[in-house]
Amino acid sequence: MDDFTDRLKTALLGTADGSLAFLGNFEVEERWALGEHTLPRLSAAGGTAVVNHMDEFALLLASGDDHVVLKAAPDPDFLAYLRELGVDLPTVHVVAGSDPGRTVTADALADPVLVARLRELAARGVRLTAHGVSDVEEDLARAAGMPLAAPDSATCKAVNSKVYSRRAADELGLRQPAGWACETVDELRAAFDGARALVAAGHKVVVKEAFGVSGKGIAVLESDRRMDRLLGMIAKAVDRSGQPRVAFVVEDWVAKRTDLNYQFTVARDGGVRFDFVKELHTEGGVHKGHRMPARLSPAQLAELADTAQRLGKKLASDGYFGVVGVDAMVDPDDGLYPVVEINARHNMSTYQARVQDRFVGEGQIALARHYPVRLTRRLPFAEVRSLLDGLLLDRAGGTGLLVNNFATVNAGHRAATTFDGRLYGLLVGPSDESVAAVDDEITARLEARS
């Protein structure tokens, strides 16, 4: 069987026989953004605990001879469910004294016993891999004497900037919305002048922080007054900080029919492999997950595969190797915008790749999504399994939900409080209709849960 993790190891280590220690440090962009000038934003710290417990996704990316560092021990019944499916689980190392507000990497650094254990693994040749590499992951690698199977943090930060994405697409002659990459206040002022003309012509224009993530760090420029206010705030922040460099992208908000996400892997030797493309699934304008396979023509698929090769070579020339996810769009006339944003790190789709290889049969449809749950107490996996009896996937090629992260359900738990969680999974079936039927039934049972 073609195994994604074997391919990943070959790219990162030069051999599929090596062993990796995985860190699921989601939203590493928050670390990359430290010290950068940002747009005004409301605080959104409420979901931090859930995001940090997304580290459990790494369980299904690692193989049986790998290791995963987690913030909390997985629910034993969840592990039993995965084993029943035939998943070869990695060795799990749980941090002591986990802090809900910290990433798994920061938790690990604060645990001397775990650091010592990683040092022992390093002596056996295990190498560290992360969702994305910042200075914190480098600190852990140094403390544990475990080399990173990744480029250095400066390289990772540089190629993940939206400014880099914009300029790379310009350099390669790839189609993208009208826009500007800005690294000085003067460049931003010139971009806003260009944006004024677009707004006057009835367009919507957005300004994006270089390291914004999960919908944060974006502002709509709908009037001259709004642009003047934002430009003034950024200019004042630059003057106060003494840091003249900024990093923003200003772009026309173009019409689209579909959002896409595709992934490729860049090997240490510069080789590029196109992995897959997925289609954003929405209902009533609300993002519900990713559909696979994407409904694209052979010509569209060929264009994305060619773009992946060109982007991969560009990234390799700039010192990057590893997983790359790219956001793209299909316009209303079926043309492609093949590069909206480059994410040179693991993506949500990365964590689905291994189970997709194993459990989504030929001709089947899969939908990756999550279900919100409102709780007043911890919810055990055994209870969820009973509640969703007959709806969980029980074999490769079957129909149902494969749960691929359970830690996020109870991540916000506090004694005597109400909290929100998320149940993540991969819905699999022979058709869109069958997947939708299972989806609707799962939603109904979760909502009816007392």
Side-chain angles (χ1 to χ4, degrees):
M1 180 183 292
D2 189 23
D3 185 273
F4 174 78
T5 302
D6 286 347
R7 302 198 304 268
L8 177 62
K9 289 181 183 180
T10 301
L12 299 181
L13 303 173
T15 175
D17 296 328
S19 182
L20 293 169
F22 287 80
L23 293 168
N25 57 314
F26 276 74
E27 297 202 353
V28 62
E29 287 88 350
E30 298 284 359
R31 189 69 189 180
W32 289 330
L34 290 179
E36 300 286 337
H37 295 293
T38 60
L39 298 170
R41 63 170 71 171
L42 296 174
S43 175
T48 300
V50 173
V51 169
N52 286 335
H53 277 278
M54 289 169 71
D55 65 340
E56 194 176 78
F57 278 117
L59 271 178
L60 290 172
L61 179 57
S63 62
D65 56 358
D66 294 319
H67 302 262
V68 173
V69 179
L70 296 179
K71 290 176 66 68
D75 185 306
D77 291 315
F78 176 51
L79 295 180
Y81 156 78
L82 295 175
R83 291 191 185 100
E84 287 171 24
L85 285 172
V87 176
D88 52 330
L89 295 172
T91 301
V92 173
H93 305 270
V94 181
V95 299
S98 176
D99 182 332
R102 289 193 305 218
T103 65
V104 63
T105 315
D107 273 346
L109 263 173
D111 183 352
V113 174
L114 179 58
V115 171
R117 178 61 180 141
L118 293 178
R119 194 175 297 117
E120 293 172 0
L121 295 176
R124 290 162 36 191
V126 179
R127 296 295 176 257
L128 196 62
T129 188
H131 180 79
V133 176
S134 73
D135 59 315
V136 183
E137 285 66 49
E138 288 182 323
D139 288 346
L140 180 60
R142 280 191 292 270
M146 179 180 283
L148 277 160
D152 61 76
S153 64
T155 298
C156 291
K157 175 178 176 176
V159 300
N160 275 282
S161 167
K162 291 179 177 62
V163 170
Y164 178 92
S165 295
R166 178 96 205 166
R167 290 185 171 162
D170 281 339
E171 178 184 324
L172 296 173
L174 299 169
R175 183 192 185 204
Q176 55 185 334
W180 303 264
C182 310
E183 292 189 292
T184 68
V185 172
D186 285 343
E187 287 179 345
L188 188 63
R189 184 176 290 110
F192 278 19
D193 286 342
R196 293 178 205 276
L198 289 172
V199 171
H203 292 234
K204 182 188 291 187
V205 179
V206 294
V207 57
K208 305 175 184 177
E209 294 176 8
F211 300 103
V213 63
S214 299
K216 294 175 281 189
I218 297 176
V220 178
L221 306 178
E222 76 276 23
S223 67
D224 286 351
R225 182 180 178 187
R226 171 72 164 157
M227 284 184 250
D228 290 340
R229 187 184 310 121
L230 269 179
L231 186 61
M233 293 174 69
I234 293 168
K236 287 179 182 177
V238 168
D239 287 342
R240 285 196 305 267
S241 69
Q243 162 60 277
R245 190 186 65 81
V246 300
F248 296 102
V249 166
V250 181
E251 285 184 337
D252 189 10
W253 192 304
V254 297
K256 63 185 177 182
R257 180 173 60 80
T258 308
D259 286 294
L260 305 171
N261 174 262
Y262 62 96
Q263 180 179 293
F264 57 92
T265 306
V266 181
R268 280 182 180 267
D269 63 5
V272 181
R273 175 172 177 137
F274 183 77
D275 294 323
F276 50 73
V277 56
K278 299 181 181 181
E279 176 184 329
L280 207 70
H281 177 71
T282 60
E283 286 185 9
V286 178
H287 175 205
K288 292 194 69 176
H290 284 90
R291 182 194 189 274
M292 55 205 90
R295 289 164 287 197
L296 298 173
S297 70
Q300 290 170 324
L301 287 169
E303 182 178 345
L304 292 180
D306 177 67
T307 301
Q309 289 294 324
R310 296 169 67 188
L311 286 175
K313 287 179 171 57
K314 165 66 177 169
L315 285 158
S317 72
D318 290 329
Y320 182 80
F321 61 92
V323 170
V324 183
V326 182
D327 293 334
M329 297 185 298
V330 181
D331 72 25
D333 297 318
D334 285 336
L336 290 178
Y337 289 100
V339 186
V340 174
E341 179 180 318
I342 297 169
N343 293 301
R345 52 162 173 76
H346 291 174
N347 297 258
M348 282 292 285
S349 295
T350 311
Y351 299 97
Q352 300 152 10
R354 195 164 189 250
V355 291
Q356 182 181 347
D357 286 346
R358 292 183 172 205
F359 294 100
V360 183
E362 186 71 26
Q364 283 196 301
I365 302 299
L367 177 67
R369 65 152 299 174
H370 75 267
Y371 300 89
V373 288
R374 186 83 166 157
L375 303 171
T376 56
R377 60 175 177 83
R378 293 187 66 87
L379 183 63
F381 182 79
E383 190 173 325
V384 172
R385 190 170 189 176
S386 176
L387 179 69
L388 302 182
D389 183 43
L391 299 175
L392 295 185
L393 192 72
D394 60 2
R395 68 188 187 284
T399 297
L401 177 72
L402 193 163
V403 177
N404 61 351
N405 188 319
F406 193 70
T408 50
V409 170
N410 295 303
H413 174 255
R414 295 290 182 276
T417 63
T418 300
F419 61 98
D420 295 309
R422 301 177 201 159
L423 176 66
Y424 282 91
L426 197 68
L427 285 162
V428 182
S431 65
D432 287 299
E433 292 75 17
S434 64
V435 166
V438 175
D439 186 21
D440 289 344
E441 182 62 20
I442 290 172
T443 301
R445 292 192 195 181
L446 289 173
E447 289 177 350
R449 180 188 55 83
S450 57

